[in-house]
Amino acid sequence: MAESESLETITEHERILQEIESTDTACVGPTLRSVYDDQPNAHKRFMEKLDARIRNHDREIEKMCNFHHQGFVDAITELLKVRADAEKLMGQVSDTNRRLQDAGREVTAQTEEVIRCRIQQRNMATTVEKLQLCIPGEMTWLRKLMTDVNLFLFRYYSALKTMEQLENIYIPRVSQYRFCQIMAETLPKLREEIKEISMSDLKDFLESIRKHSDKIGETAMRQCGAEAGDSELCQTSLRSEQKCSFNLVGFLFKVLTAQDLVDFSPVYRCLHIYTVLGDRETFENYYRKQRKKQARLVLQPQSNMHETVEGYRKYFNQIVGFFVVEDHILHATQGLVTRAFTDELWNMALSKIIAVLRTHSSYCNDPDLVLELKNLIVIFADTLQGYGFPVNRLFDLLFEVRDQYNETLLKKWALVFRDIFEQDNYSPIPVENEEEYKAVVSRFPFHDAEIEKQQFPKKLPMSQSVPQIYSQVKEFIYASLKFSESLHRSSTEIDDMLRKSTNLLLTRTLSSCLQNLIKKPHIGLTELVQIIINTTHLEHACKYLEDFITNITNVSPETVHTTRLYGTHWPNSPLHISVILVSWRNCYS
């Protein structure tokens, strides 16, 4: 019976221990009370059983700790290694948190601003909706005004017309509302703002055409040159165009207007605005005053303009561009500029241009440069004449430039003659065969029946300088003719100019070179005799020079007003007389 009770007790204690291990701690109290309520000494046996169970669990815990000890040590070691990285990461996290907080505050501020704008928009929409219910017609015009004002950079004129209708028609109908009073007070300010902005656009326009006037003028002059068939001028313009950023390629043979190259809308817009505002006169006076200032700037030449043809070309381009723009304004607007105003500007400009060209051309010593200047003046005059500007004074100026051109030619040929005389041996020209004879007479019109009958070798009476001088005189005539081209002069006038310039070459330049030659100490009696013979042959050859000029100009020498070459009046020509006098003076000195 005792054993049965002991076994039962042990079993009960096992149950109690399992229940303690598996149940919640709140239920431990009733379970333990059952141990004391059972048998008197059962709690001692339970305590022993409990101690044994605890020791068993301690052994299991110890085994488990021993088993996981090394892993725990390794884990601690790893944790120590990552402590530094963890601290750095914590610092970065802190910085990130601060940035996020700043961004959050900024987003919050922006959100609040957006909310305020949304509220304002909602209030405005609600107000418009309510007003539409009361005055739908008037509010339609109000919305149109707000649209035009918001877009007034491109719709000034429309906005002004809308404001005028609001003031005169619609605002009086709803004048009892406070917003209409505010609007009526705001409209004058809007007008002034539109007026100021349009004037600012006009100033930008004036500055733009000031910068690009040379490109506008270049295009106009190039078109005029193309129509006149001046291919050299067109090619030169194209070369200069390649150096600039204002692209006009492809327009060479297309008729362009200023409208194709310049946006004139700021002028039209500003003119309309000032007209609507009743202040057109102020705008006209301002525009004319500014253009007069720009005209004076355009007419100021560079100090070294005479050194290269590019200086003249840029000067002409700027002037043409200026007046092309004014001509377009004259015809595209009504009264902004008048013909009297443009004529006044042109007359002022023409006087300045003539004075500038007269001064700068006098510095030119290169005949090629003077010839290029003449070509530019012709194209310049023709271009402006095509726009209705009188240019007779420019063609009159060309006569002065022609005299300057002839002077530079005479100086150039004086050097040519001097070199020919210095290289001459002052002996009759020997010819060994027919080929040599033909080579000489092809350059100089020599005819002598007695010498032609002689057998080769033979000698021609003049020295080698004679055919050279004769060829150079013909080259001079060609050079002089180049200036007469495109001057809109008759053949008779061109013939007269060629003969006069040739006379100057013979009687002044060639005669002076001969006199200087005769005065040289190394010229003896033999050389003097040969020089006289040479001069005689040159005198006789002048009639062939007259025929040469006649073939060029197609003007008959029998014409009443035809100028004759002095050399044909043998033996009383100035060239022959001067040579004879100086020669005899040297012989007897």
Side-chain angles (χ1 to χ4, degrees):
M1 187 66 178
E3 292 179 359
S4 177
E5 293 179 358
S6 175
L7 181 58
E8 184 179 351
T9 302
I10 293 172
T11 302
E12 180 65 17
H13 289 174
E14 286 291 334
R15 183 188 65 76
I16 293 172
L17 289 173
Q18 291 178 1
E19 187 175 350
I20 290 172
E21 291 176 347
S22 59
T23 60
D24 191 7
T25 56
C27 301
V28 174
T31 302
L32 293 177
R33 189 179 299 113
S34 65
V35 176
Y36 289 94
D37 292 344
D38 199 1
Q39 296 180 5
N41 295 322
H43 69 281
K44 293 182 179 179
R45 289 193 296 274
F46 177 75
M47 291 299 295
E48 292 174 359
K49 191 70 174 177
L50 181 59
D51 292 336
R53 181 61 65 87
I54 290 172
R55 286 193 297 274
N56 186 38
H57 282 306
D58 289 340
R59 284 193 296 272
E60 290 179 359
I61 291 171
E62 184 177 357
K63 289 179 182 179
M64 185 179 296
C65 289
N66 291 334
F67 179 78
H68 292 286
H69 175 72
Q70 187 60 40
F72 176 75
V73 172
D74 294 340
I76 294 299
T77 304
E78 290 296 327
L79 286 174
L80 292 175
K81 289 180 180 180
V82 300
R83 175 189 290 178
D85 294 337
E87 292 176 352
K88 183 184 298 183
L89 182 61
M90 287 300 293
Q92 294 177 352
V93 169
S94 298
D95 293 341
T96 303
N97 288 336
R98 284 195 299 272
R99 294 192 186 99
L100 289 174
Q101 290 174 358
D102 295 339
R105 285 192 294 270
E106 183 177 353
V107 169
T108 300
Q110 293 177 352
T111 303
E112 293 175 354
E113 181 66 24
V114 170
I115 292 173
R116 284 195 298 271
C117 292
R118 291 288 187 180
I119 293 173
Q120 291 176 356
Q121 291 179 348
R122 183 188 63 190
N123 293 340
M124 292 172 63
T126 303
T127 302
V128 171
E129 182 179 357
K130 296 300 182 184
L131 289 173
Q132 281 179 333
L133 296 176
C134 300
I135 44 173
E138 286 73 1
M139 286 311 302
T140 300
W141 282 100
L142 176 61
R143 283 206 304 266
K144 186 176 185 302
L145 171 66
M146 297 307 296
T147 301
D148 289 342
V149 170
N150 288 334
L151 299 176
F152 70 89
L153 283 176
F154 304 99
R155 299 177 62 179
Y156 307 102
Y157 186 67
S158 178
L160 288 173
K161 297 298 290 184
T162 303
M163 284 190 283
E164 182 180 356
Q165 291 177 333
L166 279 171
E167 281 185 328
N168 298 331
I169 300 175
Y170 296 101
I171 289 181
R173 298 179 184 178
V174 289
S175 59
Q176 67 273 21
Y177 294 100
R178 183 173 177 272
F179 81 91
C180 291
Q181 298 175 0
I182 297 174
M183 185 182 299
E185 295 173 356
T186 304
L187 291 180
K189 298 179 181 178
L190 289 175
R191 283 195 178 92
E192 289 300 320
E193 186 176 354
I194 293 175
K195 189 175 179 181
E196 291 175 1
I197 294 178
S198 64
M199 181 58 72
S200 177
D201 286 349
L202 176 66
K203 293 178 180 178
D204 293 340
F205 166 80
L206 292 174
E207 181 64 24
S208 176
I209 60 174
R210 172 71 182 91
K211 292 179 179 178
H212 295 100
S213 61
D214 57 335
K215 306 304 180 300
I216 301 170
E218 178 184 355
T219 303
M221 289 184 65
R222 188 175 55 204
Q223 288 180 171
C224 182
E227 294 172 1
D230 194 340
S231 59
E232 181 179 355
L233 177 64
C234 295
Q235 294 173 0
T236 305
S237 297
L238 282 175
R239 289 195 296 271
S240 64
E241 178 187 291
Q242 294 172 357
K243 302 177 183 178
C244 69
S245 59
F246 193 78
N247 185 15
L248 299 172
V249 177
F251 292 110
L252 177 57
F253 297 105
K254 176 184 176 183
V255 177
L256 295 177
T257 63
Q259 184 69 49
D260 298 316
L261 303 175
V262 180
D263 179 15
F264 288 92
S265 59
V267 180
Y268 307 147
R269 194 160 51 233
C270 200
L271 178 61
H272 288 161
I273 289 170
Y274 274 77
T275 302
V276 171
L277 296 177
D279 203 10
R280 180 187 176 105
E281 184 178 355
T282 299
F283 174 75
E284 291 177 355
N285 292 335
Y286 176 82
Y287 178 85
R288 295 178 186 181
K289 181 179 179 181
Q290 294 302 315
R291 289 299 278 169
K292 281 185 178 180
K293 290 182 179 179
Q294 290 187 342
R296 294 188 181 94
L297 293 176
V298 165
L299 294 170
Q300 290 295 329
Q302 296 180 350
S303 59
N304 61 341
M305 185 178 71
H306 61 277
E307 295 179 357
T308 62
V309 70
E310 292 301 323
Y312 289 106
R313 179 177 288 110
K314 184 176 181 181
Y315 181 67
F316 288 142
N317 287 343
Q318 290 179 344
I319 297 173
V320 171
F322 178 90
F323 283 99
V324 166
V325 170
E326 285 308 294
D327 179 76
H328 179 83
I329 294 293
L330 173 66
H331 292 90
T333 61
Q334 295 181 352
L336 178 56
V337 296
T338 62
R339 174 57 68 182
F341 174 75
T342 56
D343 288 345
E344 179 187 355
L345 275 182
W346 173 242
N347 290 331
M348 180 270 292
L350 191 58
S351 298
K352 179 67 175 178
I353 293 167
I354 291 175
V356 167
L357 293 179
R358 183 177 287 128
T359 300
H360 283 264
S361 64
S362 64
Y363 298 143
C364 295
N365 295 320
D366 182 4
D368 294 334
L369 180 57
V370 179
L371 185 61
E372 287 184 294
L373 173 60
K374 165 257 173 182
N375 292 332
L376 285 175
I377 294 176
V378 170
I379 297 297
F380 174 72
D382 289 345
T383 303
L384 289 172
Q385 190 174 37
Y387 285 92
F389 296 98
V391 295
N392 292 335
R393 293 174 61 188
L394 285 175
F395 284 103
D396 293 339
L397 173 68
L398 284 173
F399 284 98
E400 299 181 27
V401 179
R402 182 199 63 189
D403 294 339
Q404 175 67 19
Y405 177 70
N406 285 335
E407 288 298 323
T408 58
L409 288 181
L410 293 174
K411 292 179 182 178
K412 178 179 179 180
W413 258 263
L415 298 176
V416 172
F417 291 156
R418 185 187 66 183
D419 292 340
I420 292 174
F421 288 144
E422 289 180 354
Q423 296 173 8
D424 195 4
N425 57 9
Y426 299 101
S427 300
I429 301 175
V431 288
E432 300 294 331
N433 49 48
E434 184 71 21
E435 288 75 13
E436 292 184 4
Y437 179 79
K438 290 182 179 180
V440 174
V441 298
S442 65
R443 293 185 295 140
F444 181 75
F446 174 77
H447 302 286
D448 190 310
E450 295 296 328
I451 295 179
E452 289 178 356
K453 294 178 182 178
Q454 296 177 6
Q455 298 294 323
F456 292 101
K458 53 187 175 182
K459 293 184 178 181
L460 304 183
M462 65 281 190
S463 66
Q464 62 184 3
S465 63
V466 172
Q468 294 176 352
I469 292 293
Y470 183 82
S471 298
Q472 286 300 320
V473 173
K474 293 172 66 176
E475 290 297 324
F476 175 88
I477 294 173
Y478 278 127
S480 181
L481 178 64
K482 290 182 179 179
F483 194 92
S484 302
E485 296 172 348
S486 306
L487 286 185
H488 310 300
R489 299 295 175 179
S490 65
S491 298
T492 303
E493 290 177 302
I494 294 176
D495 183 89
D496 187 64
M497 286 188 289
L498 288 179
R499 293 175 186 273
K500 286 181 178 179
S501 60
T502 306
N503 273 332
L504 285 176
L505 179 71
L506 295 174
T507 61
R508 194 175 78 181
T509 305
L510 181 58
S511 176
S512 176
C513 290
L514 284 171
Q515 293 179 26
N516 292 332
L517 173 67
I518 294 171
K519 294 176 183 179
K520 292 186 176 182
H522 69 278
I523 299 297
L525 181 60
T526 303
E527 288 80 8
L528 286 175
V529 172
Q530 184 62 57
I531 291 173
I532 293 174
I533 295 173
N534 291 347
T535 306
T536 303
H537 283 283
L538 287 174
E539 295 281 357
H540 285 296
C542 284
K543 65 179 180 178
Y544 296 100
L545 292 176
E546 282 195 338
D547 294 339
F548 178 72
I549 296 175
T550 299
N551 292 332
I552 293 175
T553 61
N554 292 323
V555 176
S556 174
E558 285 76 21
T559 304
V560 176
H561 300 290
T562 300
T563 302
R564 307 302 297 273
L565 297 185
Y566 294 146
T568 59
H569 299 279
W570 176 266
N572 297 321
S573 69
L575 179 63
H576 182 76
I577 293 175
S578 64
V579 171
I580 295 296
L581 290 177
V582 174
S583 299
W584 284 112
R585 185 187 65 185
N586 287 353
C587 290
Y588 287 98
S589 60

